[in-house]
Amino acid sequence: METSAPAEALLLVTVNTVPGTNPDRLGQQLADAVVHLPVPAAAVIGTGEVPADVRERTRELAERQGMADGAADLVMYFARLWLRPGPALPAHSTEIAIACRRLWEERLRGADRSGLTQVTCLPAPSPDGWFRGARTCTSLATTVNAPTGLIPDAV
């Protein structure tokens, strides 16, 4: 039994989806998928609002690329992960972000799976900024089959 405190990572996740994808359901799927990382892991993922300036810039870029609905199908998530690092996944936020993005694309990408078409995952540049943004989340999803003892009681 592990007695050391788990490592923690704060991630900013943006997801492009097919029209009609339920962002709260997708957030739950993202949270549930982390149990498939190469180390024991669990997450709490909040569905956030995409800032108006980011949505507008994304819409402009999408229209130039022939994807008129691009910005309408952009969802932002605030992901807080706890994991027991190991050789397969060290306790480094960039490595964790890369592993999560790969996992989510492999397991969830596609209209027939979750509606996710593209995912970007970055370590939060500032914990304070991440927590301020996370307070605006409209819903929270917690890993359903999380390994025991990873998510602290006071989250």
Side-chain angles (χ1 to χ4, degrees), residues 30-104:
L30 293 169
D32 289 344
V34 300
V35 299
H36 299 288
L37 287 168
V39 297
V44 173
I45 298 180
T47 305
E49 291 292 323
V50 177
D53 61 328
V54 172
R55 183 175 294 283
E56 185 55 34
R57 181 74 176 130
T58 303
R59 185 181 317 282
E60 290 170 7
L61 290 171
E63 286 174 358
R64 277 192 243 152
Q65 296 175 16
M67 303 179 317
D69 293 334
D73 302 318
L74 180 68
V75 184
M76 177 177 269
Y77 296 100
F78 292 84
R80 189 174 181 186
L81 276 79
W82 295 270
L83 56 109
R84 300 240 183 254
L89 185 58
H92 186 271
S93 59
T94 300
E95 294 296 323
I96 295 167
I98 291 168
C100 285
R101 183 193 55 79
R102 286 181 181 155
L103 174 79
W104 290 330

Side-chain angles (χ1 to χ4, degrees), residues 118-132:
Q118 183 177 352
V119 62
T120 303
C121 185
L122 300 169
S126 156
D128 290 340
W130 186 94
F131 281 107
R132 275 193 310 277

Side-chain angles (χ1 to χ4, degrees), residues 106-122:
E106 289 171 9
R107 293 202 163 258
L108 300 175
R109 189 175 187 168
D112 57 333
R113 290 183 178 170
S114 69
L116 179 149
T117 59
Q118 183 177 352
V119 62
T120 303
C121 185
L122 300 169

